[in-house]
Amino acid sequence: MVTRQFPRPVELFELMKFKKPELDGRKRRLDSALTIEDLRRIAKRRTPTAAFDYTDGAAEGELSLRRARQAFRDVEFHPSVLRDVSKVDTSCEIWGGPSALPFGIAPTGFTRLMQTEGEIAGAGAAEAAGIPFTLSTLGTTSIEGVRAANPTGRNWFQLYVMRERKISYELVRRADAAGFDTLFFTVDTPVAGARLRDKRNGFSIPPQLTPGTIIDALPRPWWWIDFLTTPKLEFASLTSTGGTVGELLDSAMDPTISFEDLDVIRGLWSGNIVVKGVQSVADARALADRGVDGIVLSNHGGRQLDRAPIPFHLLPEVVREVGRDTTVALDTGIMNGADIVSAVALGAKFTLIGRAYLYGLMAGGRQGVDRTIEILRSEIERTMKLLGVASLAELEPRHVTQLERLVPRPRA
Ligand SMILES: Cc1cc2nc3c(=O)[nH]c(=O)nc-3n(C[C@H](O)[C@H](O)[C@H](O)COP(=O)(O)O)c2cc1C
């Protein structure tokens, strides 16, 4: 028998806890995001369809991206218990300098399209968090502008070697002069991937006002107010415009680039050289033999070759083959701090985030990028504690296995 009583007003009163309402709309919105997926949903609501799809989309059937994300979701962790994890150290050394977290911001083109603060927001947030920021050749903020936004932190520059070599080499020189310490040479883009969403949306640079984009703009006035009231949206280092990003890439990039270009770049650059977009053990070996400071296993976030190898799957074999000779980093598909922990456990020294950063940017400018980093940081720390490790160096392959669904079968 349950004994019942009249509810007592004093006890009821104790249960009533009214929070002070958050009047800052942006903060309220960002505080409500607990995951990168949440930020993605907010980003989608606030960004014109063509700009969101340019960011969110990938090439052809988007299989590469979907599989890369699935590979991380298919991780099974194997924790150790009864370890002191009251404090965890998430910091690491990467390419001759520190990073407070095992990830940095990946280079992304046309970033002010997503939200007007663009690279300035990314570089500022990176500085505040003590992680590196990478500026793309196709960036919308100048090399010097990024340096000014991140004067004390680490800036990296991503190079596309263009048909007009002079333009590329001049950018390398400027990045060197501005104190950027690492150069990413992207090699997975001899031609542009087929970004079908851009084609279907009729997306072009600069964005065009059509009846369709005007209707699409109605529920997203803030993006348009930003677009129309801030400096013109354009490439900071290129003059070509008109057409889809794919068409611009195809007209600017040189499909003849080869290993010899690497030697030329080495002669122009005093800092670290990292090759981004490596997708096979043999290429990793060839690059390590040429003495590069690092490689990034990446399929460009699935935006180039669809059905490309999943970088996370390549990782153990590449680390076994070249891990002693060069530094192996990884990107593509990272949506959770646990993804980063898994990559580090399997031997990645560092990771890069592309869309996770851009979803934050679209959801709330600089504060949105801060939120992305905060979400990933707390996921990394919590995952490490629950795994029973107190530092990144303690993460080992034994902490991670993968469900069988996507694990590659040995080649015949
Ligand atoms: C909108 C967008 C633009 C990108 N632009 C560039 C670029 O200009 N140069 C480059 O090397 N990689 C570029 N990337 C690829 C990223 O550097 C990175 O490899 C990729 O985003 C990682 O996958 P993730 O988005 O799943 O994190 C771009 C990615 C996105 C999403």
Side-chain angles (χ1 to χ4, degrees), residues 83-90 381 384-385 389-391 394:
R83 309 289 198 278
D84 177 0
V85 288
S86 51
K87 286 196 195 71
V88 285
D89 181 2
T90 58
E381 285 182 356
M384 287 173 68
K385 287 183 180 183
V389 302
S391 72
E394 289 174 37

Side-chain angles (χ1 to χ4, degrees), residues 37 58 61-75 279 297-303 305-314 330-336 338-340 342-343 352 355 402 405-408:
E37 276 294 344
E62 309 195 351
L63 297 170
S64 288
L65 178 62
R66 221 170 302 141
R67 288 177 186 171
R69 286 181 177 170
Q70 190 61 49
F72 283 125
R73 280 196 290 261
D74 282 357
V75 160
Q279 299 177 71
L297 298 180
S298 165
N299 62 39
H300 212 111
R303 297 164 75 82
L305 175 67
D306 204 14
R307 304 163 199 264
I310 299 168
F312 185 59
H313 284 169
L314 274 180
L330 169 144
D331 75 20
T332 301
I334 291 171
M335 290 287 282
N336 190 300
D339 304 343
I340 295 171
S342 315
L352 298 168
R355 293 182 186 80
Q402 292 164 78
R405 180 161 31 144
L406 278 170
V407 176

